[in-house]
Every structure is written in structure tokens, then in C-alpha cells.
Amino acid sequence: MENAKDYAFEVGPIRPPSEAASLLLRVARNCPWNKCKFCGLYQGEKFSIRPKEHVIKDIDSVKGWTDLFKLAEYVDAEERRAMINNLKKELGGDHSWAYSSAYNWYRNGMKSIFLQDSNSLVIKPDDLVDILTHIKKQFPETERITSYARSETVARISGEDMKRIADAGLNRIHIGMETGSDVILKLINKGTTKAKQILAGQKVKAAGIELSEYFMPGLGGNEYSDLNALETADGLNQINPDYIRIRTLAVTDRAALIEDYRQGIFTRTNDTKMVEELLLMIENLKGITSTIVSSDHILNLLPEAEGRLPEDREKLISVLKSYLGLPESEKIIYRIGRRAGAMDRIQDLNDSGSRNYAEELIRQNDINDTNVDAVVDSLMNRFV
Ligand code: SF4
């Protein structure tokens, strides 16, 4: 059991890309599940919940620093130094993380806060409400408070508690649905079911909290590619999340899925198959108003495949079909160009600088249609 003397300001390792400007407040460490086969993020790390008093202290510490930064704009250097020394004394201990977190947040306008790590909803609803209430008291100007959550956890929280959490200030949740297929959920050991994913998503929406659901093309391998697309679309149709974020699968050496791959239990889909899968998924989204986001992660092959449903449906489909309609040799150039960071839209094939760069890489490394998948896999590994 941790007590007050164990206190230190903490920052966890992960946040969604959309939270780059947010203050990161760690309410729990690592992942309470930590068994999804495709995920090596918290491998070997033990889960624990931080004492509520420690999180409150983090909030107060950031409040102290941000108040100081505001005042410091109006005083001379000597007075500023004195203020800093006084605050250090008041806060005690090592203040470096708190200082840099607060400073980054202050420079970014103090608009949003992200609760870390992988599943903050796992803490007691009463504690979460207290933490959110304290955040709102100290930073009433904050517009957005966000968290990751597991479907399995949210499905267990009562509708009444979800509403209390929403009223206290949590207004955006990211859920890694990954797939709506029960077959694939079992194979990757996600620890939840399609029914729970739907229930959790609906609960978040009913509480008035903005919802991002993540879809992972490639997660069913070649065998379950269509199932991944169709079952996910069906699940999303029943949730109607605000955002559907695409996270293309990359099988890293840190994830347990690599063993299944080595043993031939899991087959890897290549880029083109994953685009087909995404196309099938989008074609089967019906009657929803979600925004599809592809540009917020480097692993996605076609960042331009994004837009709001239903109005951008044809545009989305046409981007994916444009790629699929390319000759194989052009697909290879685009894939290498994208994975090497030189291209991010199909039109870049017409940009001589980007094209020359990709073609030179292909020539130097002797890349062809028999080895391009392996080259792309190793380039993608650099990003995870
Ligand atoms: S994907 Fe999320 S729930 Fe699964 S092990 Fe990784 S962090 Fe935990």
C-alpha cells in the first residue's frame, strides 16, 4: 500500500496522438488486462492504481506552477526566481516532472487533460468523480478531459455512475475496439466480446461522453479478413461513435502475436489486403454519423482516407479504390514511399522528389513484389 511519503509526480508512457497538447495526469499505472496478443506496450509492467491523494497532489502541483507562469509574465527576473524557489519549498520533493508537464501545458493553452494510463475507468467511480471534480475546481477553463478505457470495464459501470463521471467533467473516451468479431477477439485474447463492446460504446454515448472507437485492419489475418471488416462494421453501426480511428496492425517483436505468426497460427495481411478490408468495413457502415480518422497514425497507409459519414462516404471509398486500382509496381512505390516517410497521399506518386526518393530506396535495397511485404513489415516496426 502506498502512503503519502511515497508520493512523486508521475507521467505515464502513452497518450493518443490527439492529446499531444494535453496535460497528462496519471491515475493508474500500466494496463490491468495486459494480455492482448497484438499489444506489447506494457509487457512486464505491473498494474496499479495510484492513491487518489497522489493524483490530487499532482493536480495541485500543476496548479501551483501554472499560476506562477501566469504571474511571472508581469515580474522581473529576480522576483521570478524568488517565486520559483518559494514554490519549490512549498511543494517539496522532486518537482522536475511537475514543472515540465505544467510548462508544456501552459504553453499549449491549458485546454485539455488526458488521464493515464490505459484504462482510467477501472478506478472506483467515486474516486474518479473526486479527481474530475478537483480538476474542474483547479482548472475551470479546461475544455476537455479524456481517457482510454476498456469495453469490459465500461460495460460493468452502471449507467448512473457513467452519468456522474460525465457530469464531473470526463467528456471524451477512447476505446480500443480493434474488431467486432468474437472469433478474432478470442484469438487475440482481448478479454471481451462483441456484445460487451456494443454495450460499453452505447453506455458512453448515453452518458453524453464523446466516443472514439479504434478499428484494427489486419487483426484477423488473411483467414478472417472479411469477418473482421463485416463484424466490426456491424458493431460500429450499433454504437455510432463520434470517431472511428483506424490503427493498422503491425506485429512487433514485443507482442505475443509474433509467436502465433512464427508458428503459422496467424497469417499477416499485407498493405493491399488491409486496404481491401478497410474498404469492406466502410462499405458496410450504415446509418451512422461517425467521423473516420486515418491521418492520426503513421501506420495507416492512406491518411487521406478520412471524412464524416454519410456525406464523405463516396470520397472515402474512392481514395481506397484509387489505391487498389494502381498497377502493382505503383503500389510498391507508394508503399515504400509512405513507409519511408516520403509520401502521405496517392498523388505524391506524381511528385518527382517523393517518387525519386522511393524509387531509389527500391533500387538500392533490391525491393520487388516477392520481398516488399517483409520490407514494409520491418519499416513499420520502427514506428511501434
Ligand atoms: S491493447 Fe489496451 S487493453 Fe490490450 S493489453 Fe494493450 S493496453 Fe491493455
Side-chain angles (χ1 to χ4, degrees):
M1 180 85 173
E2 289 173 78
N3 56 41
K5 76 175 170 37
D6 300 317
Y7 171 75
F9 189 96
E10 288 189 29
V11 178
I14 306 291
R15 57 153 175 81
S18 51
E19 301 293 330
S22 301
L23 173 69
L24 306 180
L25 272 183
R26 194 176 209 191
V27 303
R29 306 179 183 98
N30 310 312
C31 174
W33 176 246
N34 213 8
K35 293 178 192 165
C36 300
K37 283 192 172 182
F38 62 90
C39 172
L41 283 177
Y42 298 102
Q43 208 181 50
E45 302 293 337
K46 200 166 160 267
F47 173 76
S48 60
I49 292 172
R50 292 186 72 215
K52 181 176 77 180
E53 297 67 34
H54 290 192
V55 183
I56 298 286
K57 253 183 146 172
D58 284 1
I59 297 165
D60 291 343
S61 181
V62 172
K63 169 75 175 161
W65 284 113
T66 51
D67 281 353
L68 185 147
F69 298 142
K70 283 177 199 163
L71 279 174
E73 290 182 14
Y74 303 101
V75 299
D76 62 25
E78 198 177 328
E79 213 174 327
R80 200 175 306 137
R81 260 196 303 279
M83 284 164 62
I84 290 173
N85 286 334
N86 282 342
L87 184 59
K88 279 182 184 171
K89 253 190 242 152
E90 204 181 297
L91 295 173
D94 182 1
H95 49 80
S96 48
W97 271 111
Y99 176 91
S100 56
S101 291
Y103 187 63
N104 286 334
W105 193 45
Y106 175 71
R107 281 196 327 169
N108 282 310
M110 298 172 61
K111 291 200 170 61
S112 55
I113 292 175
F114 180 69
L115 305 181
Q116 294 180 304
D117 283 343
S118 71
N119 186 18
S120 312
L121 276 281
V122 80
I123 72 173
K124 287 190 194 125
D126 284 351
D127 285 351
L128 186 53
V129 167
D130 286 350
I131 288 168
L132 290 163
T133 304
H134 196 66
I135 290 173
K136 290 303 260 189
K137 179 181 154 228
Q138 296 293 51
F139 307 112
E141 69 280 21
T142 297
E143 293 164 10
R144 194 179 77 218
I145 306 176
T146 308
S147 175
Y148 280 134
R150 290 187 70 224
S151 289
E152 194 67 14
T153 304
V154 175
R156 276 199 299 265
I157 300 174
S158 71
E160 194 187 314
D161 279 339
M162 280 306 292
K163 191 76 181 76
R164 284 200 305 131
I165 290 166
D167 290 344
L170 189 72
N171 50 10
R172 182 182 285 186
I173 289 181
H174 293 266
I175 292 184
M177 181 188 214
E178 334 299 0
T179 178
S181 158
D182 278 328
V183 174
I184 303 169
L185 285 168
K186 206 163 175 195
L187 283 174
I188 55 140
N189 207 16
K190 185 73 190 166
T192 193
T193 61
K194 179 183 180 184
K196 294 264 183 74
Q197 305 254 39
I198 293 168
L199 176 66
Q202 290 175 341
K203 264 190 187 175
V204 172
K205 294 276 293 180
I209 298 174
E210 195 179 66
L211 174 65
S212 284
E213 293 275 3
Y214 289 76
F215 166 53
M216 194 168 270
L219 199 57
N222 288 307
E223 292 79 359
Y224 297 120
S225 176
D226 286 1
L227 193 71
N228 193 19
L230 295 172
E231 286 291 281
T232 302
D234 182 54
L236 291 170
N237 286 341
Q238 295 180 61
I239 297 170
N240 191 15
D242 298 277
Y243 295 95
I244 298 170
R245 296 180 188 271
I246 311 304
R247 284 291 178 277
T248 302
L249 174 72
V251 186
T252 71
D253 290 347
R254 283 178 289 129
L257 198 59
I258 193 81
E259 270 315 306
D260 287 359
Y261 172 66
R262 285 177 183 142
Q263 290 173 28
I265 300 167
F266 174 79
T267 57
R268 280 158 105 151
T269 45
N270 67 15
D271 278 327
T272 300
K273 186 71 191 160
M274 287 195 270
V275 173
E276 286 171 3
E277 197 171 303
L278 182 56
L279 176 63
L280 185 62
M281 200 281 284
I282 290 173
E283 282 176 333
N284 281 277
L285 291 175
K286 307 248 163 72
I288 61 171
T289 53
S290 313
T291 296
I292 296 188
V293 182
S294 297
S295 62
D296 66 341
H297 206 281
I298 189 75
L299 290 176
N300 295 329
L301 185 69
L302 297 166
E304 59 190 310
E306 60 180 20
R308 189 174 155 82
L309 296 171
E311 57 266 36
D312 294 325
R313 181 185 158 89
E314 290 318 311
K315 181 203 119 185
L316 275 156
I317 288 176
S318 118
V319 169
L320 300 171
K321 284 190 171 169
S322 299
Y323 169 80
L324 293 172
L326 290 172
E328 288 309 310
S329 56
E330 291 295 286
K331 283 192 186 114
I332 292 179
I333 296 170
Y334 180 75
R335 289 174 68 187
I336 296 299
R338 169 72 181 143
R339 301 310 183 194
M343 294 183 184
D344 58 16
R345 50 186 54 234
I346 298 167
Q347 257 193 344
D348 289 340
L349 285 166
N350 302 324
D351 176 83
S352 56
S354 307
R355 190 178 178 96
N356 290 343
Y357 181 75
E359 286 181 331
E360 189 56 21
L361 279 178
I362 289 168
R363 196 187 56 74
Q364 279 175 8
N365 296 286
D366 213 6
I367 299 169
N368 53 53
D369 54 357
T370 62
N371 63 10
V372 63
D373 290 349
V375 173
V376 165
D377 283 343
S378 82
L379 286 171
M380 283 169 81
N381 253 308
R382 290 184 318 173
F383 300 122
V384 280

